[in-house]
Amino acid sequence: MSHTPPAATITLALSKGRIFDEIMPLLAAAGIEVLEDPEKSRKLILPTNRPEVRVVLVRASDVPTYVQYGGADMGVCGKDTLIEHSAEWGGAARSGLYLPLDLQIAKCRVSVAVRTDFDYAQAVKKGSRLKVATKYTAIAREFFASKGVHVDLIKLYGSMELAPLTGMADAIVDLVSTGNTLKANHLMEVERIMDISSHLVVNQAALKLKMAPLRRIIDAFAATVAANTSAALP
Ligand code: PRP
């Protein structure tokens, strides 16, 4: 059986976990319901109640790549992922990505964290070189350069909390949400670099070829985001 979709199919790239859970109400408001639970199914292509719309499950950091190369028409990923992807490609536009909407979901922050017994303020003040482990090298490089702090960046792909605990690094740059992971590993947040939320990312060529159906989804998401934002105002 071929998995190549008919030309009119809309493919949406999502990652499992928080983004998947938090995009469901926006999809529902756009009249789209995913018919299988990714936590229970091993399938990577999930059908929806709309025969022309399907979801592909990819790693969060692969979402921009799938959209860029047309493996998906649109996707949802964090601002952190977009910044790192853009840095590789010299900007979102150059990678053929269109970013129409901040979905205001999966909110967290990118922060610097160190061991609770590490004197970060002193280390930064002294102008010594800081060893920083992170998955977010573009964000970390730009942040420390703007502060005039010299850093040696160590690229990791996960479990960054271990780097200061094993003595491999002085600090990490990582996502923080509740702060529980840091606390559980005797680390503390010392600087907040930026707030993060998930964005809609769209393949520019697909937007031209499938303008009407993609626009309908983008507009439905935008209406829900606007309604949620105004409901949250005091
Ligand atoms: C992120 C991050 C931390 C954790 C922070 O990992 O890397 O480990 O969440 O959340 P908290 O402040 O609520 O404890 P994520 O679960 O996204 O997976 P990852 O390790 O694959 O990045």
Side-chain angles (χ1 to χ4, degrees):
M1 198 177 83
S2 164
H3 283 289
T4 310
T9 300
I10 301 292
T11 302
L12 173 65
L14 297 176
S15 55
K16 280 203 262 187
R18 240 184 112 192
I19 290 179
F20 189 94
D21 298 342
E22 294 190 24
I23 195 71
M24 285 303 113
L26 279 90
L27 280 175
I32 300 167
E33 191 191 332
V34 182
L35 297 178
E36 282 188 57
D37 180 351
E39 300 300 336
K40 294 191 183 133
S41 166
R42 301 287 297 172
K43 282 191 194 166
L44 296 174
I45 301 179
L46 305 180
T48 74
N49 63 325
R50 297 250 300 266
E52 79 284 13
V53 181
R54 63 184 196 158
V55 166
V56 291
L57 292 177
V58 304
R59 280 185 73 132
S61 53
D62 288 337
V63 166
T65 308
Y66 270 85
V67 176
Q68 175 175 349
Y69 288 102
D73 299 301
M74 61 198 335
V76 176
C77 65
K79 184 176 161 190
D80 50 314
T81 304
L82 285 171
I83 292 174
E84 295 298 322
H85 185 83
S86 281
E88 267 175 53
W89 286 89
R94 287 189 56 186
S95 59
L97 297 177
Y98 169 55
L99 305 172
L101 195 57
D102 180 348
L103 296 166
Q104 302 281 351
I105 58 167
K107 289 186 177 177
C108 56
R109 54 198 185 269
V110 176
S111 293
V112 183
V114 298
R115 281 166 60 137
T116 48
D117 59 1
F118 183 78
D119 191 344
Y120 177 75
Q122 187 63 18
V124 166
K125 201 162 52 189
K126 270 199 321 210
S128 51
R129 284 187 89 86
L130 211 58
K131 272 189 282 178
V132 178
T134 186
K135 182 155 61 168
Y136 307 102
T137 46
I139 293 173
R141 185 175 295 115
E142 160 73 26
F143 175 71
F144 287 109
S146 74
K147 288 169 67 80
V149 174
H150 298 289
V151 288
D152 292 317
L153 290 177
I154 303 171
K155 169 89 183 183
L156 290 177
Y157 294 88
S159 301
M160 277 161 274
E161 297 82 9
L162 269 177
L165 302 179
T166 55
M168 188 167 82
D170 303 310
I172 59 171
V173 167
D174 195 9
L175 295 181
V176 181
S177 178
T178 59
N180 290 340
T181 307
L182 293 180
K183 209 181 289 170
N185 290 291
H186 309 289
L187 300 176
M188 61 181 177
E189 189 175 2
V190 284
E191 291 206 76
R192 177 190 284 237
I193 300 180
M194 65 174 73
D195 289 327
I196 298 293
S197 54
S198 284
H199 289 244
L200 189 61
V201 49
V202 182
N203 178 292
Q204 283 178 349
L207 190 62
K208 290 196 186 106
L209 290 168
K210 306 175 187 177
M211 172 74 101
L214 287 177
R215 266 283 154 220
R216 269 198 295 277
I217 296 173
I218 296 168
D219 291 347
F221 283 174
T224 307
V225 172
N228 290 346
T229 309
S230 64
L233 291 175

